[in-house]
Amino acid sequence: MEILQVLLILLIFTALMFGLFQLQRKHISFGKRALLALVIGIIFGLILQSIYGATSPIVETAMDWVNIVGDGFVSLLMMLVIPIVFIAILRAFTSSTFTEGFGKISGIVIGILVITVMISAAVGVGTASLFQLDGIEITEGSEEFEAIQRIEERAADIEDDTLPTMIRNMIPANIFVDFTQERSTSVIAVVIFSVIVGTAYMGVRRKQPDYAEKFATGVEVIFTIIMRVVTLILRLTPYGILALMLNKAATSDIATFIDLGKFIIASYVAMLIMFIVHMLLIRFAGLNPFTYVKKALPVLIFGFSSRSSAGALPLNIETQKRGLGVSNGVADVAGAFSVTIGQNGCAGIYPAMLAVMVAPTVGVDPFTPSFIAMLVIVVAIGSFGVAGVGGGATFASLIVLSTLNLPIAIVGLLISIEPIIDMARTALNISGGMTAGILTSKITNNLDKTIYDDKTKQIDMNYDAM
């Protein structure tokens, strides 16, 4: 009987995917299909939970099969992260229209990412104060106890790391290891390696232009092939979102979310405030922020569903180029840097809120100017090298709390509601990277405002655009 019920769930899931496919054939916009997949996945998942319960063997078995689509899609996107980061930055050097300004572009992008993560830390402090969040009020269950044990073991690995050590860890020692994303700093190591290779190319171009031309042609060919692969995989986005949200809604512990509702609400309020800050920055640049929201929505929905800003990198870069008028070089650099530097949600708001919550437990007033200033600085420095994948916020929080000599157990106490908070954090991380790309392109006069203002210019995987 259970097998039949599992089969029925999978049959309905398959029918929903077929419905999304039919909408694609009718050329319904990419953004609308992504949003519809999000809503349908949540509704179907909640229905299953109300019927069977979150821990039902029927639901668990069905979700194992559903996860082939959801987790499989995220894996395909994660597969592309390192190749895109490497080839996109390298192409920025081989592009003659961009090479001379690479240092300037990179500096502006990093500057904007660091400034916004510092603002997000201040927003986290303010929101924690507004909601009067207190770490003592959070209770410890069996799941939280096990999480605390794991967190303390992980903290032991980084608690002795000084700032120079953290910087050294970003420098590539074995690039083949970093290409496998073995280390938490692998992405930024690949970025550094790409810059080194690009700089070497510039030297060769001056002394041996024939070799440089061949190399540049090869880079362009590889870039074209990789972006074609990106296009093929991104067409699966609505199906991936449907599966991811279905699994999340069907298996999440709603009771735990209700118990810790105050912290969840405070977190979402902080994310919303920071997103409004992004819109204001875009408005100050003379651009319509609502146009940005409309065009960025599919990327933000995917980030919300997948909880992986690194996985969203291909969609992020393509949206900047094809929908927001950001130049190729700026979009490539902003996208690559944003998955490992200055993540507003994971490395900014979340660690700041935790620091404010636990500081009173050790006799520290978190609202003194000196503490807030130190917290903002530590957050900014600690945001370098935080990977845009699941667990990034935990790593960032451990760095911040350990540096400030604050208790780290709260990271484990909140483990049960991590997924629901991480969805909003990831979307905010992506928005921060896209905002950096737009502002940098605007500052350097590389923004095509015609494309930005054209409401028809949106990323759309219905058509064979590449």
Side-chain angles (χ1 to χ4, degrees):
M1 186 65 179
E2 288 186 358
I3 294 178
L4 292 178
Q5 294 180 71
V6 170
L7 290 175
L8 177 61
I9 293 172
L10 296 178
L11 182 62
I12 296 173
F13 174 66
T14 303
L16 292 174
M17 287 202 299
F18 181 74
L20 290 173
F21 175 71
Q22 290 299 109
L23 292 178
Q24 179 179 342
R25 292 186 61 185
K26 293 180 179 179
H27 301 312
I28 301 300
S29 74
F30 183 76
K32 290 180 180 178
R33 286 184 286 118
L35 181 59
L36 181 62
L38 176 78
V39 174
I40 292 176
I42 293 174
I43 293 174
F44 186 28
L46 291 177
I47 291 174
L48 290 179
Q49 183 168 159
S50 66
I51 295 174
Y52 299 106
T55 59
S56 165
I58 294 175
V59 170
E60 290 180 354
T61 302
M63 292 308 107
D64 279 343
W65 289 95
V66 169
N67 286 340
I68 294 176
V69 178
D71 293 344
F73 175 63
V74 174
S75 295
L76 288 174
L77 288 171
M78 291 300 298
M79 170 190 73
L80 294 171
V81 171
I82 292 296
I84 287 178
V85 168
F86 175 67
I87 202 67
I89 293 179
L90 192 55
R91 183 173 179 262
F93 280 92
T94 59
S95 173
S96 59
T97 60
F98 188 66
T99 301
E100 291 75 12
F102 180 82
K104 178 181 179 182
I105 297 296
S106 300
I108 295 174
V109 168
I110 293 174
I112 293 173
L113 290 172
V114 171
I115 289 172
T116 54
V117 81
M118 293 173 76
I119 295 173
S120 68
V123 170
V125 172
T127 307
S129 173
L130 177 65
F131 282 82
Q132 298 180 330
L133 297 179
D134 187 349
I136 300 176
E137 296 177 357
I138 301 176
T139 57
E140 177 183 318
S142 58
E143 183 180 358
E144 287 75 19
F145 176 77
E146 294 175 1
I148 291 173
Q149 299 296 109
R150 295 193 300 269
I151 292 298
E152 289 177 344
E153 292 175 3
R154 186 172 181 182
D157 296 333
I158 66 173
E159 64 181 0
D160 295 328
D161 285 355
T162 62
L163 180 58
T165 301
M166 294 169 59
I167 294 174
R168 285 199 301 270
N169 289 338
M170 299 178 191
I171 300 174
N174 185 336
I175 195 60
F176 297 103
V177 171
D178 288 322
F179 269 114
T180 65
Q181 300 188 62
E182 180 70 21
R183 303 188 301 151
S184 61
T185 56
S186 285
V187 176
I188 198 167
V190 171
V191 169
I192 294 172
F193 177 70
S194 303
V195 172
I196 293 173
V197 175
T199 304
Y201 160 81
M202 292 171 64
V204 172
R205 190 176 67 173
R206 286 192 299 269
K207 297 181 178 180
Q208 296 172 291
D210 292 343
Y211 287 156
E213 183 178 354
K214 293 177 182 178
F215 181 79
T217 301
V219 169
E220 190 65 29
V221 170
I222 295 173
F223 178 82
T224 302
I225 296 297
I226 288 178
M227 295 315 295
R228 178 61 181 176
V229 174
V230 168
T231 299
L232 294 175
I233 293 177
L234 289 184
R235 288 174 178 168
L236 304 175
T237 300
Y239 312 107
I241 291 175
L242 173 66
L244 289 166
M245 294 313 301
L246 171 57
N247 175 67
K248 190 63 60 183
T251 60
S252 295
D253 186 353
I254 305 299
T256 301
F257 293 159
I258 294 174
D259 291 340
L260 294 172
K262 185 178 179 180
F263 182 79
I264 295 173
I265 293 172
S267 298
Y268 270 75
V269 168
M271 308 293 177
L272 178 60
I273 292 172
M274 195 60 208
F275 185 68
I276 292 173
V277 170
H278 292 167
M279 295 177 66
L280 290 174
L281 290 173
I282 291 172
R283 183 68 189 92
F284 290 154
L287 301 170
N288 187 333
F290 297 103
T291 300
Y292 162 71
V293 174
K294 180 180 179 181
K295 294 187 175 185
L297 190 60
V299 197
L300 303 182
I301 289 175
F302 172 71
F304 186 85
S305 306
S306 66
R307 298 171 52 204
S308 173
S309 52
L313 180 60
L315 189 57
N316 180 336
I317 291 177
E318 283 297 280
T319 300
Q320 287 191 55
K321 293 178 181 178
R322 292 162 58 180
L324 297 170
V326 178
S327 67
N328 290 342
V330 174
D332 293 337
V333 172
F337 284 2
S338 68
V339 299
T340 190
I341 297 173
Q343 295 192 349
N344 291 184
C346 289
I349 289 176
Y350 190 66
M353 292 180 70
L354 298 191
V356 170
M357 290 171 66
V358 300
T361 66
V362 291
V364 175
D365 183 355
F367 303 112
T368 59
S370 59
F371 178 85
I372 295 175
M374 180 60 70
L375 174 60
V376 169
I377 292 172
V378 170
V379 163
I381 296 173
S383 72
F384 282 76
V386 174
V389 295
T394 298
F395 181 72
S397 299
L398 290 177
I399 291 176
V400 171
L401 296 178
S402 299
T403 303
L404 296 174
N405 294 316
L406 296 175
I408 62 170
I410 190 170
V411 180
L413 288 175
L414 295 170
I415 201 72
S416 59
I417 58 171
E418 263 285 292
I420 196 69
I421 300 173
D422 198 37
M423 291 190 292
R425 286 195 311 237
T426 304
L428 186 65
N429 293 341
I430 295 168
S431 178
M434 298 179 74
T435 300
I438 293 170
L439 295 180
T440 302
S441 214
K442 179 68 175 178
I443 292 170
T444 58
N445 296 317
N446 283 307
L447 182 74
D448 190 331
K449 197 168 183 300
T450 303
I451 293 178
Y452 185 95
D453 292 333
D454 189 343
K455 296 181 180 180
T456 65
K457 293 291 185 180
Q458 289 182 265
I459 184 170
D460 194 338
M461 296 303 158
N462 283 332
Y463 307 103
D464 194 4
M466 296 187 63

